[in-house]
mmCIF file of all heavy atoms in Angstrom:
data_model
loop_
_atom_site.group_PDB
_atom_site.id
_atom_site.type_symbol
_atom_site.label_atom_id
_atom_site.label_comp_id
_atom_site.label_asym_id
_atom_site.label_seq_id
_atom_site.Cartn_x
_atom_site.Cartn_y
_atom_site.Cartn_z
ATOM 1 N N ASN A 93 -7.284 21.721 -23.722
ATOM 2 C CA ASN A 93 -6.051 21.970 -24.478
ATOM 3 C C ASN A 93 -6.228 23.141 -25.438
ATOM 4 O O ASN A 93 -5.305 23.906 -25.632
ATOM 5 C CB ASN A 93 -5.656 20.702 -25.291
ATOM 6 C CG ASN A 93 -4.974 19.700 -24.348
ATOM 7 O OD1 ASN A 93 -3.896 19.936 -23.897
ATOM 8 N ND2 ASN A 93 -5.620 18.556 -24.192
ATOM 9 N N LEU A 94 -7.393 23.290 -26.062
ATOM 10 C CA LEU A 94 -7.552 24.408 -27.007
ATOM 11 C C LEU A 94 -7.707 25.713 -26.305
ATOM 12 O O LEU A 94 -7.074 26.721 -26.614
ATOM 13 C CB LEU A 94 -8.764 24.143 -27.911
ATOM 14 C CG LEU A 94 -8.594 23.032 -28.975
ATOM 15 C CD1 LEU A 94 -9.842 23.003 -29.876
ATOM 16 C CD2 LEU A 94 -7.338 23.261 -29.840
ATOM 17 N N LEU A 95 -8.561 25.742 -25.235
ATOM 18 C CA LEU A 95 -8.861 27.018 -24.609
ATOM 19 C C LEU A 95 -7.751 27.571 -23.739
ATOM 20 O O LEU A 95 -7.536 28.750 -23.712
ATOM 21 C CB LEU A 95 -10.110 26.875 -23.722
ATOM 22 C CG LEU A 95 -11.435 26.563 -24.496
ATOM 23 C CD1 LEU A 95 -12.645 26.670 -23.538
ATOM 24 C CD2 LEU A 95 -11.643 27.458 -25.700
ATOM 25 N N ILE A 96 -7.006 26.678 -23.048
ATOM 26 C CA ILE A 96 -5.941 27.195 -22.188
ATOM 27 C C ILE A 96 -4.857 27.837 -23.011
ATOM 28 O O ILE A 96 -4.263 28.847 -22.625
ATOM 29 C CB ILE A 96 -5.419 26.090 -21.225
ATOM 30 C CG1 ILE A 96 -4.730 26.756 -20.040
ATOM 31 C CG2 ILE A 96 -4.463 25.171 -21.958
ATOM 32 C CD1 ILE A 96 -4.466 25.863 -18.874
ATOM 33 N N PHE A 97 -4.496 27.280 -24.154
ATOM 34 C CA PHE A 97 -3.428 27.861 -24.978
ATOM 35 C C PHE A 97 -3.957 29.005 -25.789
ATOM 36 O O PHE A 97 -3.211 29.964 -26.057
ATOM 37 C CB PHE A 97 -2.826 26.791 -25.911
ATOM 38 C CG PHE A 97 -2.028 25.784 -25.182
ATOM 39 C CD1 PHE A 97 -2.172 24.441 -25.317
ATOM 40 C CD2 PHE A 97 -0.946 26.247 -24.364
ATOM 41 C CE1 PHE A 97 -1.387 23.506 -24.689
ATOM 42 C CE2 PHE A 97 -0.082 25.335 -23.720
ATOM 43 C CZ PHE A 97 -0.367 23.965 -23.873
ATOM 44 N N TRP A 98 -5.207 29.023 -26.096
ATOM 45 C CA TRP A 98 -5.818 30.121 -26.805
ATOM 46 C C TRP A 98 -5.849 31.388 -25.880
ATOM 47 O O TRP A 98 -5.414 32.440 -26.283
ATOM 48 C CB TRP A 98 -7.233 29.803 -27.232
ATOM 49 C CG TRP A 98 -7.885 30.843 -28.087
ATOM 50 C CD1 TRP A 98 -7.290 31.825 -28.831
ATOM 51 C CD2 TRP A 98 -9.264 30.988 -28.362
ATOM 52 N NE1 TRP A 98 -8.208 32.582 -29.492
ATOM 53 C CE2 TRP A 98 -9.452 32.116 -29.221
ATOM 54 C CE3 TRP A 98 -10.421 30.297 -27.887
ATOM 55 C CZ2 TRP A 98 -10.706 32.524 -29.672
ATOM 56 C CZ3 TRP A 98 -11.680 30.742 -28.354
ATOM 57 C CH2 TRP A 98 -11.812 31.848 -29.220
ATOM 58 N N GLY A 99 -6.270 31.150 -24.653
ATOM 59 C CA GLY A 99 -6.238 32.233 -23.671
ATOM 60 C C GLY A 99 -4.830 32.731 -23.375
ATOM 61 O O GLY A 99 -4.596 33.917 -23.292
ATOM 62 N N GLN A 100 -3.946 31.811 -23.221
ATOM 63 C CA GLN A 100 -2.511 32.205 -23.010
ATOM 64 C C GLN A 100 -1.979 33.038 -24.141
ATOM 65 O O GLN A 100 -1.320 34.031 -23.947
ATOM 66 C CB GLN A 100 -1.644 30.900 -22.863
ATOM 67 C CG GLN A 100 -0.194 31.258 -22.713
ATOM 68 C CD GLN A 100 0.707 30.004 -22.697
ATOM 69 O OE1 GLN A 100 0.240 28.905 -22.350
ATOM 70 N NE2 GLN A 100 1.986 30.160 -23.093
ATOM 71 N N ASP A 101 -2.264 32.644 -25.381
ATOM 72 C CA ASP A 101 -1.771 33.356 -26.544
ATOM 73 C C ASP A 101 -2.406 34.768 -26.627
ATOM 74 O O ASP A 101 -1.717 35.682 -26.932
ATOM 75 C CB ASP A 101 -2.099 32.540 -27.800
ATOM 76 C CG ASP A 101 -1.495 33.166 -29.085
ATOM 77 O OD1 ASP A 101 -0.330 33.597 -28.969
ATOM 78 O OD2 ASP A 101 -2.137 33.225 -30.068
ATOM 79 N N LEU A 102 -3.693 34.836 -26.288
ATOM 80 C CA LEU A 102 -4.319 36.184 -26.319
ATOM 81 C C LEU A 102 -3.802 37.134 -25.281
ATOM 82 O O LEU A 102 -3.678 38.331 -25.520
ATOM 83 C CB LEU A 102 -5.853 35.986 -26.092
ATOM 84 C CG LEU A 102 -6.676 35.334 -27.220
ATOM 85 C CD1 LEU A 102 -8.100 35.104 -26.773
ATOM 86 C CD2 LEU A 102 -6.602 36.133 -28.490
ATOM 87 N N LEU A 103 -3.333 36.577 -24.138
ATOM 88 C CA LEU A 103 -2.800 37.430 -23.093
ATOM 89 C C LEU A 103 -1.341 37.837 -23.325
ATOM 90 O O LEU A 103 -0.827 38.733 -22.683
ATOM 91 C CB LEU A 103 -2.892 36.725 -21.757
ATOM 92 C CG LEU A 103 -4.309 36.570 -21.143
ATOM 93 C CD1 LEU A 103 -4.302 35.599 -19.981
ATOM 94 C CD2 LEU A 103 -4.825 37.968 -20.688
ATOM 95 N N GLY A 104 -0.685 37.115 -24.233
ATOM 96 C CA GLY A 104 0.707 37.397 -24.554
ATOM 97 C C GLY A 104 1.627 36.910 -23.483
ATOM 98 O O GLY A 104 1.370 35.894 -22.833
ATOM 99 N N GLU A 105 2.760 37.642 -23.216
ATOM 100 C CA GLU A 105 3.753 37.180 -22.225
ATOM 101 C C GLU A 105 3.177 36.892 -20.851
ATOM 102 O O GLU A 105 3.476 35.907 -20.200
ATOM 103 C CB GLU A 105 4.878 38.203 -22.145
ATOM 104 C CG GLU A 105 6.106 37.694 -21.415
ATOM 105 C CD GLU A 105 6.848 36.571 -22.111
ATOM 106 O OE1 GLU A 105 6.801 36.547 -23.355
ATOM 107 O OE2 GLU A 105 7.386 35.735 -21.427
ATOM 108 N N PRO A 106 2.293 37.785 -20.284
ATOM 109 C CA PRO A 106 1.743 37.478 -18.969
ATOM 110 C C PRO A 106 0.860 36.245 -18.949
ATOM 111 O O PRO A 106 0.641 35.653 -17.857
ATOM 112 C CB PRO A 106 0.847 38.756 -18.692
ATOM 113 C CG PRO A 106 1.433 39.810 -19.537
ATOM 114 C CD PRO A 106 1.868 39.083 -20.794
ATOM 115 N N GLY A 107 0.432 35.755 -20.123
ATOM 116 C CA GLY A 107 -0.374 34.587 -20.193
ATOM 117 C C GLY A 107 0.278 33.358 -19.691
ATOM 118 O O GLY A 107 -0.391 32.392 -19.293
ATOM 119 N N VAL A 108 1.608 33.322 -19.765
ATOM 120 C CA VAL A 108 2.365 32.144 -19.318
ATOM 121 C C VAL A 108 2.064 31.861 -17.857
ATOM 122 O O VAL A 108 1.663 30.723 -17.487
ATOM 123 C CB VAL A 108 3.882 32.307 -19.542
ATOM 124 C CG1 VAL A 108 4.649 31.146 -18.974
ATOM 125 C CG2 VAL A 108 4.194 32.531 -21.007
ATOM 126 N N MET A 109 2.252 32.824 -17.022
ATOM 127 C CA MET A 109 2.031 32.639 -15.573
ATOM 128 C C MET A 109 0.569 32.623 -15.202
ATOM 129 O O MET A 109 0.165 31.966 -14.236
ATOM 130 C CB MET A 109 2.764 33.737 -14.768
ATOM 131 C CG MET A 109 4.293 33.651 -14.849
ATOM 132 S SD MET A 109 4.941 31.983 -14.540
ATOM 133 C CE MET A 109 4.266 31.540 -12.983
ATOM 134 N N ILE A 110 -0.247 33.379 -15.938
ATOM 135 C CA ILE A 110 -1.671 33.374 -15.613
ATOM 136 C C ILE A 110 -2.348 32.019 -15.893
ATOM 137 O O ILE A 110 -3.110 31.482 -15.113
ATOM 138 C CB ILE A 110 -2.401 34.464 -16.428
ATOM 139 C CG1 ILE A 110 -1.911 35.861 -15.965
ATOM 140 C CG2 ILE A 110 -3.910 34.391 -16.282
ATOM 141 C CD1 ILE A 110 -2.421 37.007 -16.826
ATOM 142 N N ALA A 111 -1.959 31.409 -17.026
ATOM 143 C CA ALA A 111 -2.434 30.086 -17.314
ATOM 144 C C ALA A 111 -1.918 29.075 -16.315
ATOM 145 O O ALA A 111 -2.642 28.186 -15.853
ATOM 146 C CB ALA A 111 -1.991 29.654 -18.765
ATOM 147 N N SER A 112 -0.662 29.246 -15.888
ATOM 148 C CA SER A 112 -0.070 28.325 -14.943
ATOM 149 C C SER A 112 -0.723 28.431 -13.556
ATOM 150 O O SER A 112 -0.988 27.364 -12.941
ATOM 151 C CB SER A 112 1.432 28.639 -14.846
ATOM 152 O OG SER A 112 2.055 27.674 -14.025
ATOM 153 N N ILE A 113 -0.955 29.616 -13.104
ATOM 154 C CA ILE A 113 -1.535 29.768 -11.726
ATOM 155 C C ILE A 113 -2.998 29.335 -11.714
ATOM 156 O O ILE A 113 -3.498 28.869 -10.659
ATOM 157 C CB ILE A 113 -1.365 31.212 -11.249
ATOM 158 C CG1 ILE A 113 -1.637 31.252 -9.701
ATOM 159 C CG2 ILE A 113 -2.362 32.140 -11.920
ATOM 160 C CD1 ILE A 113 -1.424 32.574 -9.086
ATOM 161 N N ASN A 114 -3.665 29.444 -12.810
ATOM 162 C CA ASN A 114 -5.055 28.947 -12.894
ATOM 163 C C ASN A 114 -5.103 27.420 -12.662
ATOM 164 O O ASN A 114 -6.149 26.945 -12.187
ATOM 165 C CB ASN A 114 -5.690 29.350 -14.229
ATOM 166 C CG ASN A 114 -6.489 30.626 -14.132
ATOM 167 O OD1 ASN A 114 -7.665 30.628 -13.861
ATOM 168 N ND2 ASN A 114 -5.798 31.730 -14.385
ATOM 169 N N GLU A 115 -4.038 26.763 -12.984
ATOM 170 C CA GLU A 115 -3.988 25.333 -12.740
ATOM 171 C C GLU A 115 -4.111 25.049 -11.236
ATOM 172 O O GLU A 115 -4.622 23.988 -10.815
ATOM 173 C CB GLU A 115 -2.675 24.750 -13.292
ATOM 174 C CG GLU A 115 -2.454 24.963 -14.791
ATOM 175 C CD GLU A 115 -2.792 23.715 -15.589
ATOM 176 O OE1 GLU A 115 -2.346 22.619 -15.156
ATOM 177 O OE2 GLU A 115 -3.479 23.856 -16.618
ATOM 178 N N ALA A 116 -3.566 25.908 -10.447
ATOM 179 C CA ALA A 116 -3.626 25.765 -8.994
ATOM 180 C C ALA A 116 -5.037 25.839 -8.428
ATOM 181 O O ALA A 116 -5.255 25.510 -7.265
ATOM 182 C CB ALA A 116 -2.705 26.791 -8.295
ATOM 183 N N LEU A 117 -5.965 26.307 -9.230
ATOM 184 C CA LEU A 117 -7.350 26.353 -8.817
ATOM 185 C C LEU A 117 -8.086 25.007 -8.886
ATOM 186 O O LEU A 117 -9.157 24.842 -8.390
ATOM 187 C CB LEU A 117 -8.127 27.402 -9.633
ATOM 188 C CG LEU A 117 -7.769 28.868 -9.472
ATOM 189 C CD1 LEU A 117 -8.511 29.663 -10.531
ATOM 190 C CD2 LEU A 117 -8.128 29.350 -8.058
ATOM 191 N N MET A 118 -7.401 24.054 -9.515
ATOM 192 C CA MET A 118 -8.084 22.763 -9.805
ATOM 193 C C MET A 118 -8.574 22.084 -8.509
ATOM 194 O O MET A 118 -9.695 21.548 -8.505
ATOM 195 C CB MET A 118 -7.136 21.818 -10.554
ATOM 196 C CG MET A 118 -7.002 22.228 -12.034
ATOM 197 S SD MET A 118 -6.042 20.984 -12.954
ATOM 198 C CE MET A 118 -6.058 21.757 -14.607
ATOM 199 N N PRO A 119 -7.767 21.960 -7.444
ATOM 200 C CA PRO A 119 -8.254 21.357 -6.210
ATOM 201 C C PRO A 119 -9.539 22.025 -5.673
ATOM 202 O O PRO A 119 -10.494 21.352 -5.239
ATOM 203 C CB PRO A 119 -7.089 21.476 -5.236
ATOM 204 C CG PRO A 119 -5.870 21.541 -6.073
ATOM 205 C CD PRO A 119 -6.343 22.351 -7.276
ATOM 206 N N MET A 120 -9.509 23.358 -5.690
ATOM 207 C CA MET A 120 -10.719 24.081 -5.194
ATOM 208 C C MET A 120 -11.911 23.852 -6.090
ATOM 209 O O MET A 120 -13.020 23.691 -5.587
ATOM 210 C CB MET A 120 -10.356 25.585 -5.121
ATOM 211 C CG MET A 120 -9.168 25.925 -4.234
ATOM 212 S SD MET A 120 -8.785 27.640 -4.148
ATOM 213 C CE MET A 120 -10.111 28.226 -3.100
ATOM 214 N N ILE A 121 -11.684 23.812 -7.402
ATOM 215 C CA ILE A 121 -12.796 23.535 -8.330
ATOM 216 C C ILE A 121 -13.349 22.168 -8.153
ATOM 217 O O ILE A 121 -14.584 21.949 -8.145
ATOM 218 C CB ILE A 121 -12.307 23.756 -9.780
ATOM 219 C CG1 ILE A 121 -11.926 25.208 -10.037
ATOM 220 C CG2 ILE A 121 -13.358 23.283 -10.782
ATOM 221 C CD1 ILE A 121 -11.280 25.458 -11.397
ATOM 222 N N SER A 122 -12.447 21.160 -7.954
ATOM 223 C CA SER A 122 -12.903 19.836 -7.729
ATOM 224 C C SER A 122 -13.758 19.674 -6.474
ATOM 225 O O SER A 122 -14.772 18.975 -6.454
ATOM 226 C CB SER A 122 -11.721 18.838 -7.675
ATOM 227 O OG SER A 122 -10.955 19.074 -6.485
ATOM 228 N N ILE A 123 -13.357 20.396 -5.412
ATOM 229 C CA ILE A 123 -14.128 20.353 -4.182
ATOM 230 C C ILE A 123 -15.498 20.927 -4.373
ATOM 231 O O ILE A 123 -16.549 20.382 -3.901
ATOM 232 C CB ILE A 123 -13.380 21.101 -3.113
ATOM 233 C CG1 ILE A 123 -12.153 20.307 -2.631
ATOM 234 C CG2 ILE A 123 -14.310 21.388 -1.883
ATOM 235 C CD1 ILE A 123 -11.310 21.033 -1.672
ATOM 236 N N VAL A 124 -15.624 22.049 -5.109
ATOM 237 C CA VAL A 124 -16.919 22.653 -5.406
ATOM 238 C C VAL A 124 -17.765 21.714 -6.205
ATOM 239 O O VAL A 124 -18.989 21.595 -5.930
ATOM 240 C CB VAL A 124 -16.695 23.994 -6.106
ATOM 241 C CG1 VAL A 124 -18.055 24.563 -6.575
ATOM 242 C CG2 VAL A 124 -16.016 24.989 -5.235
ATOM 243 N N ILE A 125 -17.194 21.070 -7.262
ATOM 244 C CA ILE A 125 -17.963 20.149 -8.051
ATOM 245 C C ILE A 125 -18.507 18.971 -7.285
ATOM 246 O O ILE A 125 -19.674 18.615 -7.325
ATOM 247 C CB ILE A 125 -17.074 19.622 -9.230
ATOM 248 C CG1 ILE A 125 -16.810 20.763 -10.206
ATOM 249 C CG2 ILE A 125 -17.799 18.460 -9.964
ATOM 250 C CD1 ILE A 125 -15.870 20.364 -11.329
ATOM 251 N N VAL A 126 -17.647 18.390 -6.393
ATOM 252 C CA VAL A 126 -18.062 17.246 -5.521
ATOM 253 C C VAL A 126 -19.124 17.728 -4.598
ATOM 254 O O VAL A 126 -20.172 17.061 -4.348
ATOM 255 C CB VAL A 126 -16.855 16.684 -4.811
ATOM 256 C CG1 VAL A 126 -17.345 15.673 -3.768
ATOM 257 C CG2 VAL A 126 -15.879 16.025 -5.717
ATOM 258 N N TRP A 127 -18.954 18.908 -4.032
ATOM 259 C CA TRP A 127 -19.913 19.500 -3.124
ATOM 260 C C TRP A 127 -21.297 19.668 -3.752
ATOM 261 O O TRP A 127 -22.305 19.375 -3.207
ATOM 262 C CB TRP A 127 -19.367 20.842 -2.664
ATOM 263 C CG TRP A 127 -20.027 21.365 -1.393
ATOM 264 C CD1 TRP A 127 -21.200 20.985 -0.823
ATOM 265 C CD2 TRP A 127 -19.480 22.398 -0.560
ATOM 266 N NE1 TRP A 127 -21.457 21.701 0.281
ATOM 267 C CE2 TRP A 127 -20.448 22.571 0.486
ATOM 268 C CE3 TRP A 127 -18.374 23.162 -0.570
ATOM 269 C CZ2 TRP A 127 -20.253 23.514 1.477
ATOM 270 C CZ3 TRP A 127 -18.194 24.133 0.411
ATOM 271 C CH2 TRP A 127 -19.092 24.275 1.444
ATOM 272 N N LEU A 128 -21.292 20.194 -4.999
ATOM 273 C CA LEU A 128 -22.565 20.431 -5.723
ATOM 274 C C LEU A 128 -23.218 19.114 -6.118
ATOM 275 O O LEU A 128 -24.448 18.997 -6.094
ATOM 276 C CB LEU A 128 -22.254 21.242 -6.968
ATOM 277 C CG LEU A 128 -21.843 22.724 -6.743
ATOM 278 C CD1 LEU A 128 -21.482 23.364 -8.075
ATOM 279 C CD2 LEU A 128 -22.916 23.510 -6.024
ATOM 280 N N LEU A 129 -22.445 18.116 -6.542
ATOM 281 C CA LEU A 129 -23.017 16.837 -7.005
ATOM 282 C C LEU A 129 -23.478 15.964 -5.845
ATOM 283 O O LEU A 129 -24.526 15.347 -5.978
ATOM 284 C CB LEU A 129 -22.021 16.124 -7.889
ATOM 285 C CG LEU A 129 -21.678 16.783 -9.253
ATOM 286 C CD1 LEU A 129 -20.611 15.953 -9.988
ATOM 287 C CD2 LEU A 129 -22.895 16.985 -10.133
ATOM 288 N N SER A 130 -22.656 15.845 -4.849
ATOM 289 C CA SER A 130 -22.970 14.920 -3.746
ATOM 290 C C SER A 130 -23.654 15.631 -2.549
ATOM 291 O O SER A 130 -24.215 14.990 -1.707
ATOM 292 C CB SER A 130 -21.729 14.285 -3.259
ATOM 293 O OG SER A 130 -20.799 15.223 -2.666
ATOM 294 N N ARG A 131 -23.507 16.986 -2.519
ATOM 295 C CA ARG A 131 -24.048 17.780 -1.433
ATOM 296 C C ARG A 131 -23.441 17.365 -0.093
ATOM 297 O O ARG A 131 -24.013 17.563 0.977
ATOM 298 C CB ARG A 131 -25.588 17.667 -1.344
ATOM 299 C CG ARG A 131 -26.263 18.170 -2.618
ATOM 300 C CD ARG A 131 -27.715 18.377 -2.435
ATOM 301 N NE ARG A 131 -28.318 18.917 -3.698
ATOM 302 C CZ ARG A 131 -29.599 19.244 -3.816
ATOM 303 N NH1 ARG A 131 -30.426 19.121 -2.784
ATOM 304 N NH2 ARG A 131 -30.053 19.714 -4.986
ATOM 305 N N ASN A 132 -22.229 16.813 -0.156
ATOM 306 C CA ASN A 132 -21.456 16.483 1.052
ATOM 307 C C ASN A 132 -20.314 17.465 1.201
ATOM 308 O O ASN A 132 -19.408 17.540 0.356
ATOM 309 C CB ASN A 132 -20.923 15.081 0.984
ATOM 310 C CG ASN A 132 -22.033 14.052 1.042
ATOM 311 O OD1 ASN A 132 -23.045 14.242 1.761
ATOM 312 N ND2 ASN A 132 -21.884 12.928 0.358
ATOM 313 N N ARG A 133 -20.326 18.220 2.278
ATOM 314 C CA ARG A 133 -19.269 19.184 2.511
ATOM 315 C C ARG A 133 -17.942 18.527 2.807
ATOM 316 O O ARG A 133 -17.884 17.584 3.643
ATOM 317 C CB ARG A 133 -19.691 20.125 3.652
ATOM 318 C CG ARG A 133 -18.655 21.224 3.956
ATOM 319 C CD ARG A 133 -19.079 22.027 5.165
ATOM 320 N NE ARG A 133 -18.153 23.123 5.427
ATOM 321 C CZ ARG A 133 -17.026 22.953 6.152
ATOM 322 N NH1 ARG A 133 -16.741 21.769 6.647
ATOM 323 N NH2 ARG A 133 -16.209 23.951 6.386
ATOM 324 N N PRO A 134 -16.884 18.895 2.114
ATOM 325 C CA PRO A 134 -15.548 18.293 2.396
ATOM 326 C C PRO A 134 -15.106 18.589 3.843
ATOM 327 O O PRO A 134 -15.570 19.535 4.445
ATOM 328 C CB PRO A 134 -14.644 18.975 1.373
ATOM 329 C CG PRO A 134 -15.497 19.581 0.341
ATOM 330 C CD PRO A 134 -16.807 19.857 1.054
ATOM 331 N N HIS A 135 -14.189 17.767 4.328
ATOM 332 C CA HIS A 135 -13.677 17.962 5.657
ATOM 333 C C HIS A 135 -12.957 19.313 5.705
ATOM 334 O O HIS A 135 -12.244 19.685 4.830
ATOM 335 C CB HIS A 135 -12.724 16.850 6.009
ATOM 336 C CG HIS A 135 -12.457 16.722 7.486
ATOM 337 N ND1 HIS A 135 -11.711 17.621 8.202
ATOM 338 C CD2 HIS A 135 -12.891 15.822 8.412
ATOM 339 C CE1 HIS A 135 -11.652 17.302 9.478
ATOM 340 N NE2 HIS A 135 -12.388 16.185 9.633
ATOM 341 N N GLY A 136 -13.194 20.009 6.813
ATOM 342 C CA GLY A 136 -12.591 21.325 6.987
ATOM 343 C C GLY A 136 -11.039 21.314 6.842
ATOM 344 O O GLY A 136 -10.456 22.296 6.380
#
Side-chain angles (χ1 to χ4, degrees):
N93 281 296
L94 290 184
L95 295 191
I96 200 163
F97 287 128
W98 187 20
Q100 176 187 335
D101 186 43
L102 290 175
L103 288 169
E105 191 67 31
V108 176
M109 292 313 306
I110 293 172
S112 186
I113 195 175
N114 265 269
E115 301 260 314
L117 291 173
M118 287 187 181
M120 301 180 75
I121 294 171
S122 68
I123 288 175
V124 172
I125 291 176
V126 171
W127 197 344
L128 292 175
L129 293 178
S130 65
R131 300 193 178 184
N132 291 325
R133 183 182 180 277
H135 198 287

